[in-house]
Amino acid sequence: MAGITSQIITNAQGQVIGTLPLLLNPSLTGATPTLPLQGLQGLQVQTVSPQILFNNQGQIIATVGNGPATVAPSTSVQPKTTATSLLQSPVVIAPSPSVLKSAPTLSSAGPITCADVAKVGQLVNKPQPAVSGEEGINLEEIREFAKNFKIRRLSLGLTQTQVGQALTATEGPAYSQSAICRFEKLDITPKSAQKLKPVLEKWLAEAEHWNQKGQQNLMEFVGGEPSKKRKRRTSFTPQAIEVLNSYFEKNALPTGQEITEIARELNYDREVVRVWFCNRRQTLKNTSKINVFQAQQ
DNA sequence: ATGCATGAGGG
DNA sequence: CCTCATGCATC
């Protein structure tokens, strides 16, 4: 059809609303992700350009502007992409050797920065204290990946739940649908996001690889096991929530005795009230961190 | 997508 | 007990 080289489709807000499946490039079989992309943040783009986005199940999950204006003939119109640039040739980056097998089982997720990758020759002390501690995480990189992850996940026709199940089935860190959701929304602390990123990146690379060999390989992988049961979630009444919130505003960290009193007043289990405060504080923090990412929907 | 629950780690 | 990272359960 059209041999136009299109890339990520973004809207005026800089949000990605569509992309192209990268299954049509013959030369990239497993060397696409986990690439040491430096200045370029466009690992999501390849060549080709269908106007319909469909997953490996043959389902159409999105249409890339079914109008005659989205994909202009020779005008690679670029609405307002904030970061992603389209300076990418049809050829893939490089046959990254063994970058695919990394085991970030725990923290210490090396804050590999663009600069570091560029100097893989010597690998000396990193003169970059910028990436350290709590607020030294590569936020924009994570943000970029989160956005990408979702697009590619959808291209594979997988739901957050399936990814979670697959992640649990595979070796390595396991995560749930909740985690996937929160990651995509960046409704987590930068630290968590940084830890999750390599895991998802690796998994996604493999998933795309299997997808090329046949969707069945991919699907058999997405198994899923039943799960354990747990205490039923307490549901506070709107009134109780109001009272709790008012207390929280006055004091987000009530003492044990105060908690006891509040619990008695509302007639809820003391432990439940205590946990409510804990969660409230945590939610507040995570919500605040979002501003750091400043990229919510 | 989000609320409450769980558990590990730290004091 | 708290914080934090996560997840089951539920909206």
Side-chain angles (χ1 to χ4, degrees):
Chain A
M1 306 306 153
I4 307 157
T5 27
S6 188
Q7 56 289 303
I8 279 197
I9 292 71
T10 59
N11 59 21
Q13 297 151 55
Q15 300 178 303
V16 179
I17 57 177
T19 186
L20 301 317
L22 16 64
L23 337 159
L24 305 181
N25 193 317
S27 56
L28 61 147
T29 305
T32 307
T34 48
L35 32 72
L37 61 160
Q38 327 183 52
L40 59 151
Q41 302 130 311
L43 76 168
Q44 59 275 164
V45 191
Q46 288 308 329
T47 41
V48 191
S49 64
Q51 307 199 319
I52 298 179
L53 226 186
F54 46 117
N55 59 36
N56 62 323
Q57 290 159 47
Q59 306 173 302
I60 296 176
I61 59 178
T63 55
V64 182
N66 43 30
T70 305
V71 187
S74 58
T75 316
S76 303
V77 260
Q78 196 167 24
K80 214 169 185 181
T81 28
T82 20
T84 46
S85 56
L86 62 171
L87 330 164
Q88 190 159 45
S89 40
V91 184
V92 200
I93 298 70
S96 47
S98 57
V99 193
L100 210 76
K101 237 349 184 187
S102 56
T105 308
L106 286 177
S107 54
S108 78
I112 302 173
T113 60
C114 302
D116 291 325
V117 177
K119 309 175 183 178
V120 184
Q122 26 235 307
L123 189 65
V124 290
N125 302 316
K126 46 190 171 188
Q128 192 171 62
V131 185
S132 60
E134 326 170 311
E135 309 300 334
I137 299 174
N138 245 311
L139 299 176
E140 61 181 282
E141 187 185 310
I142 292 175
R143 220 196 67 180
E144 181 71 27
F145 178 73
K147 204 162 58 180
N148 243 264
F149 181 82
K150 184 170 186 177
I151 299 298
R152 289 159 72 185
R153 171 177 66 75
L154 290 174
S155 292
L156 288 172
L158 298 177
T159 61
Q160 297 176 334
T161 299
Q162 289 177 303
V163 173
Q165 296 178 318
L167 234 38
T168 299
T170 327
E171 257 314 304
Y175 287 99
S176 67
Q177 172 268 323
S178 304
I180 306 304
C181 175
R182 284 165 175 152
F183 180 80
E184 291 184 350
K185 289 187 56 182
L186 292 179
D187 192 11
I188 49 179
T189 62
K191 188 182 176 186
S192 295
Q194 185 188 41
K195 182 180 165 191
L196 248 175
K197 182 173 172 290
V199 176
L200 296 182
E201 199 161 33
K202 176 175 177 294
W203 180 82
L204 186 61
E206 293 180 14
E208 289 177 332
H209 181 69
W210 294 322
N211 184 48
Q212 287 174 43
K213 299 194 300 185
Q215 61 185 72
Q216 306 205 299
N217 292 310
L218 178 65
M219 298 318 276
E220 78 177 52
F221 178 76
V222 183
E225 314 162 21
S227 43
K228 339 81 186 177
K229 296 302 175 183
R230 161 202 263 199
K231 175 181 178 292
R232 199 153 169 167
R233 217 174 81 186
T234 299
S235 186
F236 292 99
T237 64
Q239 306 179 317
I241 295 294
E242 259 187 73
V243 177
L244 287 170
N245 276 319
S246 68
Y247 272 115
F248 188 83
E249 285 178 45
K250 282 178 278 187
N251 180 16
L253 213 173
T255 64
Q257 184 157 48
E258 292 175 312
I259 292 176
T260 300
E261 292 171 17
I262 296 173
R264 183 146 44 77
E265 179 191 326
L266 298 175
N267 213 294
Y268 274 105
D269 194 89
R270 189 202 126 91
E271 176 62 8
V272 171
V273 173
R274 186 185 70 75
V275 172
W276 184 88
F277 274 90
C278 287
N279 284 320
R280 193 75 176 67
R281 287 191 291 267
Q282 185 164 36
T283 297
L284 194 67
K285 262 181 188 171
N286 289 165
T287 303
S288 298
K289 303 279 180 168
I290 289 178
N291 297 321
V292 179
F293 282 115
Q294 64 180 192
Q296 230 205 334
Q297 53 170 39

